[in-house]
Amino acid sequence: MSEPIQITTPDGRSLDVFVAGPADGDVLLFHHGSPGVGAPSAKLVAAAAERGLRYVAITRPGYAGSTRRPGRRVADVVDDAAAVLDHLEAKRCFTMGWSGGGPHTLACAALLPERVVAAVAVASVAPYPAEDLDWTAGMGQENIEEFAAALAGTEALRAFQEPSASGLRAVTADQVADSLGDLVPPVDRAALTGELAEELADDLRRALTDGIWGWHDDDLAFTRPWGFDLADIQVPTAIWQGTDDRMVPFAHGQWLAGRIPGVRAHLLPDHGHLSLAVASLPAILDDLRSLARPVAGTSA
């Protein structure tokens, strides 16, 4: 079981940071899903290492050992990204975000262009509200209820999340697919076995063992102004999204693909939230690498 290092931010907060792969590799700054902590996936670390990338994941504030930052916006991740890169003495990085990490990787692309070489967002949610997007259409029932609670405010969201978290704190690999209920279509259920199921269950347990606050603050951040404009992204960026996703519906990927300047969009049929990441992982990393040539100073 991988354990994080801990760094102190300039404003005195603690951040858990997972680091894996070649010490001389270009930094792949990974933004985890929600809830989650970013504990390294063996396949992701190995695939990244094959491409000369060093896996670095920030556990967002409120999760595990990362000090809570009440009221944080999506854009606030940039402060922590810069602090981690400084700690690793890395001038530049590639960045990748999955699911709830997608908005955070897009924030880095928009607001940290002097340090981000290229970005890829996999199954990322779109901002709320979003013009011409029915935000919850196509989501599984659990997410429809979760985001309705987030929009109702912190007390309603706590009332939704506390019972859900109590079950997930002890979830096992054999239970994880059932625990996600309507969020897991057949294509994702088929993918959620073996090592992936073990790793996802571990990540969920770590994320929620010490409370709901990281998850809570993520949901509030997603449903409030993100703190940046997608149209300002100038860093080469790719979007990957599957048609059968019930956690983040396909329309979110289509919407993002239509708003990010120069985006490279991969809108794939017959894939869900999990199956996309499993089946396409090497292609996603190749895509990220090909978006921009490595720049001198990317290595940590």
Side-chain angles (χ1 to χ4, degrees):
M1 182 181 294
S2 298
E3 296 300 329
I5 62 172
Q6 195 165 80
I7 74 165
T8 302
T9 64
D11 61 356
R13 292 176 293 111
S14 294
L15 277 183
D16 281 354
V17 181
F18 290 93
V19 181
D24 61 348
D26 296 330
V27 169
L28 173 63
L29 190 62
F30 182 79
H31 299 276
H32 61 77
S34 179
V37 296
S41 157
K43 288 184 178 178
L44 174 53
V45 171
E50 289 173 1
R51 291 156 178 83
L53 295 168
R54 184 187 191 191
Y55 178 91
V56 177
I58 303 170
T59 299
R60 285 192 294 278
Y63 289 115
S66 292
T67 308
R68 189 186 179 202
R69 191 176 183 179
R72 61 178 164 89
R73 306 168 303 161
V74 171
D76 292 332
V77 72
V78 171
D79 299 337
D80 293 343
V84 169
L85 293 175
D86 289 346
H87 178 82
L88 296 173
E89 299 182 345
K91 294 181 180 179
R92 307 270 293 199
C93 70
F94 293 83
T95 186
M96 174 180 177
W98 175 66
S99 189
H104 296 89
T105 209
L106 295 175
C108 290
L111 301 175
L112 207 61
E114 71 279 7
R115 304 191 77 165
V116 173
V117 176
V120 60
V122 183
S124 173
V125 293
Y128 181 91
E131 185 179 2
D132 300 324
L133 176 65
D134 186 343
W135 207 79
T136 58
M139 284 186 181
Q141 187 60 35
E142 291 84 352
N143 270 12
I144 291 173
E145 294 173 3
E146 179 178 342
F147 288 113
L151 291 167
T154 188
E155 291 306 316
L157 185 56
R158 285 186 66 184
F160 173 86
Q161 288 179 329
E162 288 286 9
S164 299
S166 66
L168 292 173
R169 286 187 185 107
V171 72
T172 65
D174 292 340
Q175 299 166 341
V176 69
D178 287 339
S179 74
L180 297 174
D182 192 40
L183 298 172
V184 185
V187 67
D188 278 340
R189 187 172 286 270
L192 194 50
T193 60
E195 188 175 55
L196 176 62
E198 293 280 359
E199 290 175 341
L200 182 57
D202 174 58
D203 207 58
L204 289 168
R205 291 192 301 266
R206 293 189 193 216
L208 298 169
T209 295
D210 295 324
I212 63 165
W213 292 114
W215 185 21
H216 183 89
D217 294 341
D218 271 354
D219 280 359
L220 293 179
F222 297 147
T223 54
R224 294 173 178 174
W226 285 6
F228 66 98
D229 191 333
L230 292 169
D232 292 337
I233 295 176
Q234 299 300 315
V235 167
T237 300
I239 295 290
W240 287 71
Q241 181 70 40
T243 57
D244 295 356
D245 195 328
R246 290 185 59 76
M247 295 190 193
V248 178
F250 186 61
H252 285 238
Q254 292 176 304
W255 192 94
L256 289 168
R259 268 72 179 180
I260 299 172
V263 73
R264 187 185 292 175
H266 304 267
L267 306 175
L268 303 185
D270 305 321
H271 271 300
H273 200 75
L274 302 169
S275 70
L276 175 69
V278 172
S280 301
L281 179 58
I284 291 168
L285 292 174
D286 286 341
D287 190 34
L288 179 60
R289 264 298 196 186
S290 71
L291 282 166
R293 291 183 178 180
V295 177
T298 56
S299 296

